Amino acid sequence: MAESSRTVAARIGDDLPRIDVIGLANTRRIMHAERHNDGTRMPMFIPAASWARLLELHCTGEGAPDRPRLAPSRVMEGLERALARIMTEIAHHEAGQDEPLRPAYGVTSDLFGAEGPVDIRMVVDRTTGVACMLAAPPADMATLGLEDAARG
């Protein structure tokens, strides 16, 4: 049985902050949150601190003895699927309202541990013009200084 297409066309608003995504990635402050991107979806990133939290939670930490430790590649697979679902929901919602993507969203998820807030930021790389999604717990997102970076 063929899976139906989950692609949703999202409009990119003019108000998305333009930041140095490539610079944040090259200095390892953020990392790709996907294994492969065939160009049909927005690139997804998380702060390095959020990745470290995921590795501690699922790979290296003591955690619950009834939960098996996972390989980092398995954690990346799950992260990629979870963020793709979040992005799809956001795009569906905005498309249904005939609205462009907004710069910031807040969702509740257990993605980074206990159920809690996850900040989603839609940004545009100031060099390439490529729209990207950043996702993280609020404390990790705050360390990126995105508000300052958008002004500078």
Side-chain angles (χ1 to χ4, degrees):
M1 181 171 161
E3 186 176 315
S4 63
S5 174
R6 297 172 65 148
T7 302
V8 178
R11 290 189 4 234
I12 305 301
D14 293 335
D15 61 342
L16 296 186
R18 293 190 168 272
I19 67 168
D20 187 6
V21 174
I22 293 173
L24 288 171
N26 285 342
T27 58
R28 299 179 187 224
R29 293 183 62 209
I30 63 172
M31 59 174 287
H32 274 278
E34 56 196 344
R35 296 162 296 147
H36 308 285
N37 188 333
D38 63 5
T40 61
R41 70 174 178 212
M42 185 180 289
M44 300 179 295
F45 296 88
I46 63 172
S50 297
W51 178 244
R53 178 177 290 112
L54 288 172
L55 292 179
E56 173 70 22
L57 185 64
H58 299 292
C59 302
T60 61
E62 297 301 316
D66 60 330
R67 275 198 352 232
R69 301 287 92 196
L70 300 175
S73 61
R74 294 292 308 260
V75 176
M76 180 59 76
E77 289 172 21
L79 173 65
E80 183 177 25
R81 282 193 310 269
L83 291 180
R85 279 193 304 272
I86 290 170
M87 184 64 228
T88 298
E89 288 301 316
I90 289 171
H92 270 292
H93 179 266
E94 298 301 359
Q97 304 296 318
D98 196 28
E99 293 290 332
L101 294 174
R102 296 188 317 257
Y105 297 87
V107 299
T108 300
S109 174
D110 64 355
L111 180 60
F112 294 102
E115 187 89 4
V118 174
D119 285 351
I120 306 294
R121 297 287 188 269
M122 303 299 172
V123 299
V124 175
D125 180 67
R126 70 170 57 125
T127 302
T128 65
V130 173
C132 304
M133 172 183 156
L134 297 168
D140 291 350
M141 191 69 76
T143 66
L144 297 177
L146 297 180
E147 288 73 26
D148 296 334
R151 283 184 235 127

